[in-house]
Amino acid sequence: MRNSIILKTVFVLLGVSALIACQEKRKPINFPTTDLALENMIPKPLKIVATNSAFGLDQNTVIYTSQNAQGFVEVGHFLADKIKDKTQLRIPVNDAGEGQVDRIIYINQSDSIDLAGNEAYQIYITKDSIILNSKTAEGAFRGIQTIRQIIPETSNDTLVEHPMWLIPTGKITDSPNFEYRGSMLDVARHFFSVEDVKKYIDILAYYKYNVLHLHLADDQGWRIEIKSWPKLTEIGGSTEVGGGPGGFYTQEQYKDIVAYASQQHITIIPEIDMPGHTNAASVSYPILNGNGKELKLYTGTHVGFSTFDTRKDTVYTFIDDVVREISEMTPGPYFHIGGDESHVTKKKDYIHFINKVEKIVQKYDKIMVGWDEIATADVDSTSVAQFWAEEENAIASVKKGMKVILSPANKAYLDMQYDIQSEYGLHWSGYIPVDTAYIWTPERLSKGIPVENILGIEAPLWSETISNLEELEYLAFPRAIGYAELGWTIEENRNWDNYKVRLANQAPYLEQMNVKFYPSKLIDWKKSKDTYTEIIKD
Ligand code: TNX
């Protein structure tokens, strides 16, 4: 197998040399010495071997992709678009046209056994070519994020007569530590537009996340159109925390988010939180209500006061409709049923409810995910628990043979304040500065959660204190970048002192994307060229 990769590589290189030989003889370029291992990649790849020369990305570079393997051409175009955004270069894809071709980037489907799984990839960078091998388009997509990250911000304008972006040569072998690397966005407490969600997806994809979990319903708002129960959005969608206008996604908009995420190989996980956190649903359809109290729309931030009536058939007809409509629009394998903080649901009713809802979710071919409390019910080993608060529940899920997603609130909650001066966020589970967010070991979080049971990690962003994209970005970044590394990079390759330098160097990308990240003082942020010039002018 290894031989076949080498052969293939040689074949491609011969092709490149032939292409180049057709061109006028090039003058040898005197590349400066480089070190691929010192590049600021996040997450840090599994293995990097530097060969100390450079690939000059320039106007004479062309991208080629496998053309019969599903999704590879799209990955090639995605890379070309991002190169255009960063460098202004227009790199052709699978079509050299009349232009001069000096170098190629080849995105190649390979079945090599050296590629461990769908998301694994290898990149070979020489002076003449960049060859990216992966089994699937998903792996190729993760790999091109690495390529994007090692294209420098500025070009070298002296080596040849036109600008050239020097990429260090060497070999990268990479694959993820955990198969599930997610973030959650609470669009229920405050509503966020489709455009906001798309921008969040863009940044997550750059750091190799593969899941976005959307918290679509809570006491303060119902955010997804359900055609068979229209008042959910008419009434339940009309409020949010603080009394703002709320909002909801039409089914078309939800599908648009799902499709956008899938282009970036990110799976959307929809969550309808129940039987608690259901005030907005019960105000819309009072027949669902189980707390016996008068119902009104709620714009505060208390939790634990609402519940569905777990003994009424209509409630399960309702849930069946909701799960069916949402599942039909959701290609991903998971459906999240919440299940947290049902403080006014009696224990036996809660267990009865979760057991019934699990069957509904399975009927629509989805895997049920729930917050760790679901482990107190009689759930199946195929369901997944999301550990946020009670270690005891997480351990109970492991005993049931379930997989666990790690979201410990004192480490992984993006809505916790960085410190006492933070403008937004809560601190019920403590303050989470940028180092605390990074310096923990999911693999050894609890003796009762062995690595085999860890599906991955997820960083939830609850939105009680944030109401627009700028505030969202303040809480999410830079911490979400650290969680990306905890999810992707193996423990022995993670190191705070090394990470914080790479993080400092994310500033130009975040600025280019106009992300209003929190400029933590723990990080010696790299100044972008513009800021630098301004400082000099001052
Ligand atoms: C706890 S985490 C909650 C949410 C809140 C969050 C605020 C979880 C399953 N429940 O309802 O928004 O704390 O940090």
Side-chain angles (χ1 to χ4, degrees):
M1 245 336 152
R2 191 184 296 272
N3 283 345
S4 89
I5 275 220
I6 295 172
L7 265 180
K8 209 162 188 178
T9 311
V10 169
F11 174 75
V12 171
L13 288 180
L14 283 175
V16 179
S17 324
L19 264 173
I20 293 166
C22 299
Q23 311 294 336
E24 256 172 63
K25 193 136 182 58
R26 292 177 302 154
K27 275 188 248 138
I29 305 171
N30 234 339
F31 288 115
T33 309
T34 65
D35 190 346
L36 184 60
L38 293 180
E39 287 294 303
N40 297 300
M41 293 169 262
I42 299 180
K44 183 134 190 130
L46 190 59
K47 204 164 158 230
I48 306 171
V49 179
T51 53
N52 313 107
S53 184
F55 173 95
L57 175 71
D58 68 357
Q59 62 194 30
N60 303 331
T61 306
V62 177
I63 295 175
Y64 286 103
T65 70
S66 291
Q67 302 210 36
N68 299 323
Q70 205 195 344
F72 277 72
V73 176
E74 289 79 355
V75 171
H77 283 285
F78 189 93
L79 178 61
D81 286 348
K82 298 303 164 188
I83 291 178
K84 166 90 189 6
D85 292 346
K86 189 162 181 175
T87 64
Q88 305 304 317
L89 290 170
R90 286 177 190 279
I91 305 289
V93 181
N94 292 327
D95 168 26
E98 298 297 296
Q100 177 173 327
V101 179
D102 286 343
R103 274 163 293 278
I104 69 157
I105 299 175
Y106 184 48
I107 304 175
N108 172 47
Q109 195 280 331
S110 160
D111 287 320
S112 162
I113 47 159
D114 290 345
L115 291 161
N118 283 351
E119 292 187 283
Y121 67 90
Q122 303 160 329
I123 305 177
Y124 298 82
I125 308 165
T126 66
K127 281 196 249 186
D128 300 316
S129 67
I130 296 181
I131 297 169
L132 165 59
N133 290 316
S134 63
K135 274 201 172 79
T136 67
E138 192 183 0
F141 188 80
R142 305 296 170 232
I144 63 161
Q145 307 316 314
T146 304
I147 296 178
R148 290 173 69 189
Q149 293 189 0
I150 56 179
I151 299 173
E153 256 56 62
T154 44
S155 57
N156 180 311
D157 298 344
T158 56
L159 281 178
V160 288
E161 267 138 36
H162 54 259
M164 204 173 233
W165 282 258
L166 300 185
I167 300 178
T169 55
K171 177 181 170 188
I172 295 172
T173 315
D174 203 7
S175 61
N177 192 25
F178 291 114
E179 72 172 77
Y180 182 111
R181 304 174 308 280
S183 179
M184 186 211 78
L185 183 59
D186 172 8
V187 295
R189 268 51 176 274
H190 280 100
F191 182 64
F192 292 88
S193 70
V194 173
E195 289 315 307
D196 292 346
V197 175
K198 286 184 176 176
K199 184 173 176 197
Y200 195 45
I201 289 172
D202 289 343
I203 321 286
L204 294 179
Y206 186 75
Y207 295 107
K208 301 190 175 74
Y209 276 83
N210 62 358
V211 167
L212 175 63
H213 160 189
L214 291 175
H215 183 76
L216 291 166
D218 211 303
D219 291 320
Q220 299 87 346
W222 183 284
R223 308 295 179 210
I224 175 83
E225 176 189 20
I226 302 295
K227 301 229 194 247
S228 50
W229 297 77
K231 286 189 199 157
L232 288 169
T233 43
E234 264 166 44
I235 298 173
S238 67
T239 46
E240 60 184 359
V241 166
F248 65 89
Y249 307 124
T250 62
Q251 294 206 347
E252 286 313 307
Q253 288 174 319
Y254 176 79
K255 287 185 211 160
D256 182 33
I257 292 175
V258 168
Y260 189 84
S262 122
Q263 278 163 11
Q264 304 203 43
H265 297 272
I266 286 187
T267 301
I268 296 292
I269 301 193
E271 177 188 351
I272 298 296
D273 202 349
M274 50 193 165
H277 291 273
T278 44
N279 185 72
S282 290
V283 177
S284 312
Y285 291 100
I287 191 154
L288 303 171
N289 187 29
N291 75 0
K293 295 207 179 122
E294 199 203 322
L295 293 160
K296 40 183 185 327
L297 289 166
Y298 184 65
T299 58
T301 58
H302 289 154
V303 296
F305 60 89
S306 57
T307 183
F308 280 157
D309 185 336
T310 61
R311 300 286 163 177
K312 224 183 255 162
D313 288 346
T314 323
V315 168
Y316 298 102
T317 311
F318 165 81
I319 294 169
D320 193 289
D321 285 335
V322 169
V323 175
R324 174 178 47 77
E325 288 197 30
I326 296 176
S327 296
E328 277 167 8
M329 305 184 286
T330 308
Y334 301 106
F335 192 102
H336 201 306
I337 61 125
D340 59 313
E341 299 173 318
S342 291
H343 301 324
V344 296
T345 322
K346 292 200 184 79
K347 188 156 192 228
K348 67 175 191 336
D349 292 343
Y350 178 84
I351 293 172
H352 171 76
F353 179 86
I354 299 293
N355 293 345
K356 286 192 70 117
V357 172
E358 184 183 59
K359 303 229 159 40
I360 298 174
V361 171
Q362 291 174 348
K363 176 175 153 195
Y364 293 107
D365 283 331
K366 298 292 174 199
I367 297 168
M368 181 177 87
V369 188
W371 298 105
D372 59 48
E373 289 95 322
I374 63 162
T376 62
D378 182 22
V379 281
D380 217 84
S381 63
T382 55
S383 292
V384 175
Q386 185 165 4
F387 170 39
W388 68 283
E390 293 297 330
E391 190 175 352
E392 208 182 295
N393 289 338
I395 295 171
S397 23
V398 169
K399 291 203 176 120
K400 289 186 202 302
M402 298 164 68
K403 290 263 162 100
V404 181
I405 296 166
L406 301 180
S407 303
N410 58 353
K411 299 285 182 202
Y413 265 32
L414 287 168
D415 66 316
M416 290 302 119
Q417 289 175 294
Y418 291 92
D419 55 41
I420 45 171
Q421 281 159 5
S422 283
E423 279 180 71
Y424 308 103
L426 303 169
H427 54 259
W428 65 264
S429 76
Y431 296 96
I432 309 188
V434 178
D435 51 355
T436 305
Y438 181 85
I439 305 172
W440 59 286
T441 312
E443 293 86 342
R444 286 178 286 112
L445 183 63
S446 154
K447 279 209 182 72
I449 318 177
V451 176
E452 306 81 72
N453 287 74
I454 303 175
L455 189 61
I457 76 168
E458 182 181 296
L461 180 46
W462 300 98
S463 65
E464 285 95 331
T465 66
I466 52 171
S467 61
N468 59 46
L469 186 61
E470 198 167 310
E471 295 164 4
L472 180 165
E473 289 173 352
Y474 171 97
L475 284 178
F477 301 108
R479 288 180 293 196
I481 301 173
Y483 301 131
E485 179 144 307
L486 293 182
W488 180 281
T489 304
I490 58 168
E491 186 183 350
E492 59 190 277
N493 283 346
R494 300 192 307 252
N495 170 291
W496 165 253
D497 288 321
N498 178 279
Y499 169 73
K500 79 178 184 195
V501 176
R502 286 178 288 122
L503 179 58
N505 283 283
Q506 301 306 304
Y509 167 71
L510 295 171
E511 282 162 18
Q512 180 215 330
M513 292 297 288
N514 193 24
V515 171
K516 300 280 187 292
F517 64 97
Y518 167 68
S520 164
K521 294 214 168 62
L522 296 171
I523 306 298
D524 187 11
W525 296 102
K526 180 179 172 179
K527 298 272 180 300
S528 74
K529 224 172 136 199
D530 295 348
T531 330
Y532 189 60
T533 340
E534 269 165 39
I535 293 169
I536 293 175
K537 265 195 257 148
D538 284 347

